[in-house]
Amino acid sequence: MLTQNRLWNYWAAKAGGWPHAHLPPDPVTGRPLASLDDFDFAAFRAERREHNLRAAAAAHDAVVAYARDFRPHLVVHDRLSPEGVLAARVLGVPSVLHLWGPHGTAEPEPELSAMPGDPSGSFPRYGVGEWSPDLIEYVIDPCPPGMRPPLGPGVTRLPVRYVPYNGARSAPAAPPVKKAGRTRVCLAWGNSLSRAYGQAAHVLPGLVEALRAPDRELLLLAPPDDLPARPGPGVTVLEDYPLHLALRGCDAVVHYGGAGCTMTAMQAAVPQVVVPFSPDLALNARRVTEAGAARTVPAHTKELYARVATTVTTLLTTPPHTTAARKLAQQNDSAPTPAQLATHLETALASHRTAA
């Protein structure tokens, strides 16, 4: 997945759609590129194509073999896993696509609407026709009505409440108690930004410095390699800390637009300032911004640090953003829980059997 993200960034730069001052990293090594010509995509494709096709076919075969052994009544998969649809078709059971966040299956922008194809020809190899996104019939959507993404025609949307999950672990120590008269802002940075976007993503120290203020507490969640050497007074570093717990008591959050950050902040009713680096991250930012619960400052913005600082101040002093954030959280709380979603899935199963 990381190599694919780097390739997307490289192609964007080749097409003139890379807005950052620094070039994207080498798609294979991750090292900085001095020139786009330093990476030979034609040679890379020729060298890797047969290997990638064999790997894709083997992955599809493994999923089908597991499904035949397990005999599921339903297959749930994500947007990048058409092998889930393949296994369901081979077994004659329904499949359900589960969205990560507000990136839908029918986005109008070409760079955002693409879904993986079937270059290995696995679908016709199993005698179930050609792969097509039109095969998707059901989509589990964790987005509240205010930020729901578009789905394809004829697709049945199955709403579900978004519930943050950070893995099984012991309860971490709580952040310091919020001091009276101070606002609290959370700055959440991702583990893969530098690896996917290279030098363009090296903005965390500048953001920390810009967001520090005498009447403000700053909670910093970031990978150790990205942390500033000296965060400064008023900054609390929380390493490997669950975001949904850090957001308790926060008045605003600044993040890069990942689906996990966007949805977790939505669930916590915290207004957001989103600093996206790419179109897919900007799409997440756009959905929550259009709902009124966020503002977007693209990462390539001139005078980025000053713009983010000003936008955070606006967020903290403009009640409608907090009101919109609470509305989204209330809509989320009104959605079916994951346990209640089972009823909808049983309905899907029943209708599928009836149609069969």
Side-chain angles (χ1 to χ4, degrees), residues 138-175:
Y138 303 99
V139 171
I140 297 173
D141 184 3
C143 298
M147 50 187 290
R148 279 180 180 164
L151 307 179
V155 174
T156 299
R157 190 189 304 266
L158 302 174
V160 68
R161 184 182 308 176
Y162 180 79
V163 180
Y165 178 71
N166 295 102
R169 65 180 75 183
S170 58

Side-chain angles (χ1 to χ4, degrees), residues 338-349:
Q340 293 168 333
L341 177 63
T343 301
H344 296 283
L345 296 182
E346 289 174 0
T347 301
L349 283 169

Side-chain angles (χ1 to χ4, degrees), residues 253-257 262 271-279 281-301 304 307-308 311-312 315 321:
V253 58
V254 180
H255 61 85
Y256 63 97
T262 303
Q272 310 174 39
V273 175
V274 191
V275 185
F277 287 82
S278 59
L281 300 178
L283 175 61
N284 296 332
R286 187 174 78 207
R287 290 272 140 78
V288 70
T289 296
E290 289 175 347
R295 289 203 171 192
T296 300
V297 183
H300 61 274
T301 301
L304 172 66
R307 283 284 303 278
V308 170
T311 304
V312 167
L315 216 66
H321 292 96

Side-chain angles (χ1 to χ4, degrees), residues 236-248:
T236 299
V237 177
L238 301 175
E239 293 188 28
D240 193 28
Y241 199 89
L243 178 59
H244 71 283
L245 297 182
L247 289 177
R248 294 176 180 175

Side-chain angles (χ1 to χ4, degrees), residues 156-230:
T156 299
R157 190 189 304 266
L158 302 174
V160 68
R161 184 182 308 176
Y162 180 79
V163 180
Y165 178 71
N166 295 102
R169 65 180 75 183
S170 58
V177 176
K178 184 177 177 181
K179 295 182 180 179
R182 290 195 176 188
T183 57
R184 174 170 283 185
V185 175
C186 179
L187 175 55
W189 221 236
N191 291 315
S192 61
L193 279 177
S194 295
R195 290 182 291 163
Y197 300 97
Q199 292 173 290
H202 294 168
V203 300
L204 188 61
L207 288 175
V208 171
E209 185 60 30
L211 291 173
R212 288 178 53 232
D215 60 345
R216 180 182 301 161
E217 299 172 356
L218 185 62
L219 301 184
L220 178 56
L221 281 68
D225 292 344
D226 289 342
L227 292 173
R230 298 179 179 178

Side-chain angles (χ1 to χ4, degrees), residues 144 265-270 324-334:
M266 176 279 298
Q267 185 269 347
V270 178
R326 290 173 178 168
K327 180 179 180 179
L328 287 178
Q330 290 168 356
Q331 290 177 348
N332 183 62
D333 290 342
S334 299

